[in-house]
Amino acid sequence: MILIKLGGSVITDKSVPLSFSKDVVYKMGEAIYGLSESEPVILVHGGGSFGHYYSVQYDMHTKPRRYSLDGFAIVRNSMVKLNSLILDVLAQCGLRTYCCPPSVLVYSNDAPYHDGSITNKYNAIPERVQELQTIAKSGMCPVLYGDAMWHKDKMSYILSGDVIMSMLSEMLHPRLAVFTMDVDGLYTSMESKKIIPKVDAQRLAEFNITDDTQKNDVTGGMVRKVRAATEISSNGVDVFFVNGKKPDRLTNILHNKYAGTYFSSD
Ligand code: IP8
């Protein structure tokens, strides 16, 4: 099984509010469809200029707090809209999508079936995550996304698609976890734009990872992605960062050829 994150910077133009990159999603969808005939795939997409645009406006972040309830509603609705646009395009590519909002997989802290204890690091509902795997193995393509989530006592928080990638990797141990983005991978520096082809978790401390995408991004941009990739690879899953606007590179990775930045699991 393969997990693929359709990054917010690829599926939308983050500098233009509510801009959906239909053609890019279509090309990635074609590459994914080619693979999904022979191997189960689960997709996760980010918020891009939909969810992040409104999260910035309403000052909503990843820590549970009493954010504006108006903001909570608007962010959540914007993600439903983006998800619906993505599902339509993926269906045009031939994928049998199975829409799965992340609230289906995660205990909300005052859900009636929840005993109050944190069951695992991500507060995930294990049976639901396993069911998602069964659905993927049956020839459907589950599609999840980062979202605004209910907490308790009128609190909410932003759950990043990168965290969903970590959660699914830890519980389902896919063959690969791939993060698509609008750059070629991880650069040694923003000035040189030289790609780091292979990273192992131990060497990561040598790199001073900085980010210039944070102003339109409430979940931490590249820094969070690197953290997620390191966590996933140290749990034994190979991770790739790849440019989603160059779909042949995505196809290469899916067929065991190197492209972008590889986070080795050994
Ligand atoms: O772009 C964030 O998901 P991400 C989703 O995967 C929202 O970090 C609602 C901003």
Side-chain angles (χ1 to χ4, degrees):
M1 192 179 63
I2 298 192
L3 273 184
I4 304 173
K5 166 104 191 270
L6 307 179
S9 59
V10 192
I11 57 177
T12 70
D13 177 347
K14 274 183 128 173
S15 62
V16 181
L18 311 177
S19 57
F20 176 55
S21 304
K22 186 175 176 195
D23 294 346
V24 180
V25 176
Y26 188 86
K27 291 210 171 83
M28 285 196 292
E30 281 184 320
I32 293 163
Y33 175 72
L35 171 87
S36 69
E37 292 295 279
S38 54
E39 187 167 6
V41 177
I42 296 182
L43 299 179
V44 180
H45 69 77
S49 69
F50 286 68
H52 286 283
Y53 172 65
Y54 289 116
S55 302
V56 169
Q57 276 198 357
Y58 284 89
D59 202 20
M60 294 179 69
H61 300 274
T62 53
K63 264 206 169 74
R65 292 236 169 92
R66 286 193 172 197
Y67 299 112
S68 150
L69 292 179
D70 292 329
F72 182 24
I74 288 172
V75 171
R76 216 170 146 100
N77 288 348
S78 74
M79 289 310 298
V80 171
K81 282 187 192 135
L82 176 59
N83 180 246
S84 160
L85 292 167
I86 289 175
L87 294 179
D88 281 350
V89 175
L90 295 178
Q92 285 166 24
C93 298
L95 287 159
R96 292 181 215 98
T97 56
Y98 176 83
C99 165
C100 184
S103 44
V104 170
L105 298 185
V106 178
Y107 289 109
S108 108
N109 262 8
D110 58 356
Y113 46 80
H114 191 232
D115 65 4
S117 60
I118 301 284
T119 50
N120 54 51
K121 195 161 89 190
Y122 302 104
N123 222 14
I125 305 169
E127 308 82 62
R128 299 272 172 80
V129 176
Q130 289 306 329
E131 186 179 68
L132 210 61
Q133 169 156 266
T134 308
I135 291 168
K137 285 186 173 168
S138 308
M140 308 261 322
C141 177
V143 182
L144 296 98
Y145 51 92
D147 205 358
M149 307 286 282
W150 175 258
H151 192 55
K152 60 178 173 182
D153 302 332
K154 294 191 186 172
M155 287 194 276
S156 59
Y157 67 99
I158 302 295
L159 174 67
S160 172
D162 297 341
V163 176
I164 299 174
M165 290 288 285
S166 300
M167 177 181 96
L168 295 180
S169 298
E170 188 172 308
M171 298 177 84
L172 300 179
H173 306 288
R175 178 172 75 83
L176 279 181
V178 180
F179 289 79
T180 65
M181 47 191 63
D182 67 343
V183 289
D184 289 343
L186 200 58
Y187 296 141
T188 47
S189 74
M190 285 314 283
E191 291 73 45
S192 75
K193 294 222 155 65
K194 212 169 146 265
I195 288 290
I196 304 171
K198 185 174 174 189
V199 172
D200 60 62
Q202 287 81 352
R203 281 199 57 217
L204 207 62
E206 293 170 24
F207 301 105
N208 175 24
I209 309 230
T210 53
D211 199 347
D212 66 348
T213 62
Q214 300 236 24
K215 65 181 177 339
N216 293 333
D217 193 317
V218 299
T219 54
M222 189 61 106
V223 173
R224 180 178 292 271
K225 245 173 260 307
V226 170
R227 205 183 304 141
T230 314
E231 199 176 286
I232 296 169
S233 63
S234 61
N235 277 327
V237 175
D238 284 335
V239 182
F240 281 92
F241 283 2
V242 68
N243 194 332
K245 294 184 173 169
K246 309 214 166 122
D248 48 319
R249 297 193 188 166
L250 180 59
T251 306
N252 278 346
I253 289 172
L254 301 180
H255 292 99
N256 297 323
K257 292 187 195 131
Y258 279 66
T261 297
Y262 168 47
F263 291 74
S264 150
S265 62
D266 15 270

